[in-house]
């Protein structure tokens, strides 16, 4: 990421976003639906997208920002192609979440909340993934559970995802 993303860099993205907003123009109650579609289209919600949505729906930028930061589903930063959700629930924490985080950091150089420069991975910490018997565990892309992890296993697991 190179600082402020206050202006769009791709005219095709701007036109595509305008097509998403147009059916909902002046309808502030459609905010979450429009933001979800915009994020699906762009990949995340940079400031220029929030500004266009605010103008299109007749809302303030503060209202848009409040919604995008309230719901965990929305992201204000670019996401990687693969999402690593590292469990920090009680069982995982006790059995080694810190080592798993260190393994990820050593393997791909990112901390929770960050995305690799090649947009391959985004890592986040989650409270519990419901796999306490496999602690410590990680879910990749919301479906692939990897459990009883040691930091040394992380590179091999990450190699499964291009």
């Amino acid at each position: 990421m190179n600082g402020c993303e206050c202006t769009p860099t791709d005219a095709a993205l701007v036109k595509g976003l305008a097509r998403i907003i147009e059916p909902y123009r002046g309808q502030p109650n459609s905010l979450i639906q429009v933001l979800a579609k915009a994020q699906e289209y762009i990949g995340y919600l940079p400031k220029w997208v929030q500004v266009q949505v605010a103008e299109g729906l007749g809302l303030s930028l503060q209202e848009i920002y409040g919604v995008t930061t309230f719901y965990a589903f929305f992201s204000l930063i670019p996401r990687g192609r693969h999402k690593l959700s590292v469990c920090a629930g009680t069982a995982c924490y006790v059995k080694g979440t810190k080592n798993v985080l260190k393994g990820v950091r050593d393997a791909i150089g990112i901390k929770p909340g960050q995305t690799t420069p090649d947009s391959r991975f985004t890592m986040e910490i989650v409270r519990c993934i419901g796999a306490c018997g496999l602690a410590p565990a990680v879910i990749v892309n919301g479906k692939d559970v990897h459990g009883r992890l040691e930091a040394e296993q992380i590179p091999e697991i990450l190699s499964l995802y291009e």
Side-chain angles (χ1 to χ4, degrees):
M1 197 148 113
N2 58 357
C4 179
E5 296 184 16
C6 303
T7 57
T9 56
D10 185 333
L13 286 178
V14 175
K15 287 181 182 178
L17 180 60
R19 284 193 298 272
I20 289 170
I21 295 170
E22 191 53 38
Y24 304 98
R25 187 161 293 286
Q27 300 176 32
N29 292 338
S30 303
L31 176 58
I32 291 177
Q33 188 174 4
V34 171
L35 288 173
K37 288 182 178 187
Q39 181 168 280
E40 182 179 331
Y41 181 67
I42 306 286
Y44 69 111
L45 299 169
K47 186 175 179 181
W48 71 266
V49 170
Q50 296 176 57
V51 169
Q52 281 200 355
V53 170
E55 291 172 359
L57 300 184
L59 294 167
S60 70
L61 184 57
Q62 291 80 10
E63 290 170 300
I64 304 297
Y65 184 77
V67 169
T68 58
T69 55
F70 179 80
Y71 292 102
F73 169 77
F74 295 121
S75 177
L76 303 182
I77 60 172
R79 296 282 182 132
R81 295 185 302 278
H82 304 289
K83 184 172 79 174
L84 307 174
S85 300
V86 179
C87 184
T90 303
C92 287
Y93 185 82
V94 169
K95 291 194 169 191
T97 294
K98 287 183 180 180
N99 289 334
V100 172
L101 291 171
K102 181 182 180 318
V104 172
R105 189 176 53 243
D106 290 348
I108 56 177
I110 60 173
K111 297 176 183 175
Q114 293 182 332
T115 299
T116 56
D118 63 358
S119 298
R120 186 172 164 212
F121 293 105
T122 295
M123 180 171 61
E124 65 180 16
I125 293 179
V126 295
R127 287 295 136 211
C128 183
I129 61 173
C132 300
L134 299 174
V138 170
I139 288 185
V140 181
N141 298 330
K143 58 183 178 160
D144 299 338
V145 179
H146 301 275
R148 297 189 180 106
L149 293 175
E150 299 289 335
E152 299 77 28
Q153 295 173 285
I154 299 299
E156 182 181 339
I157 290 169
L158 297 180
S159 72
L160 301 173
Y161 303 93
E162 286 304 317

